[in-house]
């Protein structure tokens, strides 16, 4: 009998709902009650997926709040700041977006973005509304019509501004945009950054972990802030940032999510009679699927990022190497990827507490079991991989990820990330998107 069964699925469900209620700020959900008191873009998408399992209107509110922060260019910012000004660094004032012409003046936000998971969340909301029927269905379908043009503008901005050469790989200008903040993926690009003067800073994230080695060090953080200063110096103007920023990397995992979400949004477009937009979105999906496939290293079978400024591929043993599984594509190539994922360097690695992929392979020299994106297991990412497996009819992989995830989350701590060998929750506890992942796994089981 597994741990999730012993504590009871209903107890897990209730605890996950209580965590989301703890983090509920009314119209947005804070990513975590202490460390992250604001709304994060891709967190909000996963939170909406979890909320839709028991409160479709509140799930709609989550995405509506995020979309209200969309810049006039189409970009959706990675942080929407709540009224809680204390407790997080860098806050709105440090971002320097107050003078950014494209930012909605009434809404405080950062000036960079995160992966576009939102269409996948929208699909979940529509599906849950239709399952429930009645007022939930009416609200979900009304929101689809109401919000569609915003999501389309977001995808167009990414395709036009962040892939101007049409190579099918999204260019990011900060490691934070990837969501994989301090991953070994970015060691090379960051090593080449020589920051100029950076204003003094006092971090808050290290106050919320038992061991500061779980987080990036101050040298890394100085480079993060230097990039923010560079972008702020040109008021986050897209063209100007492209010319001056010291970090330009084509992010393969971001691109995979772009492919998957574009396909998903295309399906929704068809349902509301937007066939022309659906064709455009399917074009994006194919473009970015092809871009992801083109990045695969023939020596390792893992997808790679590309450092634009250095003019070289970045080969690492990180979970981003499984981007093709998210993007979809050639069945034979995906079968090779699944064999790698379930093999001895990843889910089959000896001594893992649960058969779930660490963020960096334990077989890699860069692996650190307790350090943020350098080794720990991230529950929301397992949900995304499970969703992609189910989409592609890979029931065995989906079931393995679901079963192991429910056992991992049965500790009821809803950690930000987990130590892969001990199963210990790390980072911030009561993390909203971790609780949301539990709710979606449970809901999909039903």
């Amino acid at each position: 009998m597994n741990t999730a069964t012993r504590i009871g699925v209903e107890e897990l469900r209730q605890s996950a709902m209580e965590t989301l209620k703890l983090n509920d700020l009314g119209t947005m959900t804070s990513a975590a009650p202490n460390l992250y008191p604001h709304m994060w873009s891709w967190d909000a998408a996963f939170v909406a997926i979890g909320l839709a399992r028991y409160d479709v209107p509140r799930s709609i509110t989550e995405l509506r709040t995020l979309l209200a922060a969309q810049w006039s260019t189409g970009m959706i910012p990675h942080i929407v700041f709540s009224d809680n000004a204390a407790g997080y660094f860098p806050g709105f004032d440090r971002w320097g977006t107050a003078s950014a012409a494209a930012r909605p003046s009434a809404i405080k936000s950062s000036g960079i973005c995160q992966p576009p998971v939102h269409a996948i969340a929208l699909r979940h909301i529509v599906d849950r509304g239709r399952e429930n029927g009645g007022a939930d269905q009416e609200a979900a379908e009304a929101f689809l019509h109401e919000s569609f043009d915003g999501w389309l503008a977001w995808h167009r901005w990414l395709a036009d501004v962040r892939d101007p050469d049409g190579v099918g790989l999204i260019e990011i200008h900060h490691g934070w945009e990837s969501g994989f903040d301090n991953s070994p993926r970015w060691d090379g690009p960051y090593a080449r950054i020589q920051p100029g003067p950076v204003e003094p800073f006092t971090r808050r994230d290290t106050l919320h972990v038992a061991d500061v080695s779980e987080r990036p060090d101050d040298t890394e953080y100085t480079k993060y802030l230097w990039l923010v200063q560079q972008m702020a110096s040109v008021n986050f103007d897209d063209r100007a940032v492209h010319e001056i920023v010291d970090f330009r990397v084509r992010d393969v995992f971001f691109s995979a999510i772009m492919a998957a979400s574009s396909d998903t949004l295309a399906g929704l477009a068809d349902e509301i009679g937007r066939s022309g937009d659906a064709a455009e979105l399917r074009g994006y999906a194919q473009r970015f699927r092809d871009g992801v496939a083109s990045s695969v290293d023939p020596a390792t079978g893992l997808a790679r990022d590309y450092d634009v400024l250095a003019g070289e591929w970045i080969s690492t043993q990180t979970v981003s190497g499984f981007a093709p599984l998210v993007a979809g594509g050639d069945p034979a190539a995906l079968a090779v990827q699944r064999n790698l994922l379930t093999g001895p360097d990843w889910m089959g690695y000896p001594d893992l507490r649960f058969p779930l992929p660490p963020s960096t392979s334990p077989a890699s020299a860069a692996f650190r079991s307790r350090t943020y994106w350098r080794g720990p297991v991230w529950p929301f990412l397992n949900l995304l991989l499970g969703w992609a497996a189910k989409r592609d009819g890979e029931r065995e992989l989906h079931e393995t990820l679901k079963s192991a995830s429910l056992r991992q989350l049965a500790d009821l701590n809803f950690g930000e990330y987990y130590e892969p060998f001990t199963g210990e929750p790390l980072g911030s506890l009561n993390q909203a998107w971790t609780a949301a992942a539990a709710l979606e796994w449970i809901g999909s089981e039903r």
Side-chain angles (χ1 to χ4, degrees):
M1 183 180 293
N2 65 44
T3 308
T5 304
R6 286 200 302 272
I7 69 150
V9 170
E10 187 57 27
E11 183 180 351
L12 176 57
R13 180 175 178 271
Q14 290 295 328
S15 294
M17 288 168 54
E18 287 169 11
T19 292
L20 290 184
K21 290 172 183 174
L22 171 69
N23 293 2
D24 193 343
L25 302 178
T27 58
M28 66 168 69
T29 302
S30 67
N34 297 314
L35 178 53
Y36 304 113
H38 310 294
M39 169 186 267
W40 267 256
S41 173
W42 72 330
D43 294 57
F46 287 99
V47 166
I49 289 170
L51 285 168
R53 282 293 175 182
Y54 67 93
D55 191 339
V56 167
R58 180 64 186 81
S59 182
I60 291 169
T61 297
E62 194 72 15
L63 289 192
R64 183 179 283 128
T65 297
L66 178 66
L67 198 56
Q70 184 173 33
W71 288 27
S72 62
T73 56
M75 190 268 284
I76 293 179
H78 97 299
I79 301 175
V80 181
F81 290 99
S82 69
D83 293 333
N84 184 357
Y88 179 76
F89 178 84
F92 175 66
D93 292 342
R94 186 64 180 248
W95 270 95
T97 53
S99 58
R103 180 185 62 85
S105 59
I107 299 175
K108 296 178 177 179
S109 69
S110 65
I112 61 174
C113 63
Q114 279 184 326
V117 200
H118 313 95
I120 296 170
L122 181 61
R123 174 82 267 173
H124 280 75
I125 289 172
V126 171
D127 289 348
R128 299 296 84 75
R130 289 172 178 167
E131 288 169 6
N132 296 347
D136 278 357
Q137 181 171 354
E138 289 180 17
E141 293 187 344
F143 180 64
L144 169 58
H145 284 269
E146 163 202 328
S147 65
F148 181 83
D149 285 326
W151 308 122
L152 179 60
W154 168 220
H155 282 240
R156 283 175 172 166
W157 180 83
L158 286 168
D160 295 344
V161 173
R162 293 303 187 91
D163 183 28
D165 298 325
V167 298
L169 292 170
I170 296 287
E171 182 176 308
I172 62 171
H173 297 144
H174 200 298
W176 288 345
E177 290 199 305
S178 70
F180 289 50
D181 298 13
N182 72 328
S183 172
R185 302 165 67 189
W186 317 132
D187 286 357
Y190 275 124
R192 286 184 279 275
I193 294 176
Q194 300 297 320
V198 171
E199 296 176 35
F201 59 92
T202 301
R203 294 170 60 181
R204 306 284 300 178
D205 60 314
T206 52
L207 303 179
H208 296 276
V209 293
D211 182 355
V212 295
S213 70
E214 293 179 25
R215 314 297 287 192
D217 64 28
D218 282 356
T219 299
E220 293 172 273
Y221 222 86
T222 298
K223 294 182 179 183
Y224 301 161
L225 294 174
W226 169 246
L227 295 175
V228 171
Q229 284 183 202
Q230 283 191 304
M231 290 184 273
S233 73
V234 294
N235 291 318
F236 294 89
D237 176 80
D238 289 332
R239 185 180 298 275
V241 166
H242 188 269
E243 295 298 323
I244 62 106
V245 75
D246 286 338
F247 187 103
R248 292 181 55 197
V249 179
R250 292 172 183 163
D251 179 341
V252 71
F253 202 81
F254 196 125
S255 304
I257 292 173
M258 176 67 170
S261 284
S262 293
D263 245 349
T264 302
L265 193 57
L268 291 166
D270 279 333
E271 293 175 17
I272 60 173
R274 303 280 292 262
S275 58
D277 296 325
E280 177 186 345
L281 287 159
R282 288 198 173 92
Y284 294 157
Q286 188 62 53
R287 172 172 144 194
F288 288 98
R289 262 198 307 272
D290 290 345
V292 169
S294 73
S295 79
V296 173
D297 185 343
T300 66
L302 296 175
R304 298 172 291 180
D305 304 295
Y306 184 79
D307 188 335
V308 175
L309 296 176
E312 63 186 27
W313 290 104
I314 302 170
S315 294
T316 58
Q317 290 177 278
T318 66
V319 73
S320 64
F322 297 103
L325 292 180
V326 175
D330 174 58
L334 298 189
V336 171
Q337 281 251 306
R338 280 190 294 274
N339 286 337
L340 286 172
L341 180 63
T342 56
D345 285 351
W346 291 95
M347 292 168 63
Y349 192 87
D351 301 323
L352 290 181
R353 178 68 180 86
F354 304 105
L356 294 167
S359 47
T360 299
S361 170
S364 168
F367 175 77
R368 302 289 182 272
S369 68
R370 304 178 66 85
T371 305
Y372 214 38
W373 281 98
R374 304 184 77 89
V377 173
W378 289 74
F380 83 93
L381 198 56
N382 298 323
L383 183 68
L384 180 62
L385 290 168
W387 170 84
K390 187 175 183 179
R391 175 201 62 194
D392 293 342
E394 295 299 328
R395 181 175 178 81
E396 183 177 353
L397 177 57
H398 176 267
E399 292 299 313
T400 297
L401 289 165
K402 179 176 72 174
S403 174
S405 293
L406 287 172
R407 285 183 286 138
Q408 179 188 58
L409 300 177
D411 65 355
L412 306 183
N413 285 304
F414 305 110
E416 185 178 1
Y417 41 93
Y418 284 76
E419 212 280 352
F421 300 128
T422 66
E424 176 188 355
L426 300 173
S428 181
L429 303 184
N430 295 309
Q431 194 82 11
W433 63 354
T434 304
L439 289 167
E440 177 56 22
W441 283 125
I442 293 167
S444 67
E445 195 166 56
R446 294 180 176 185

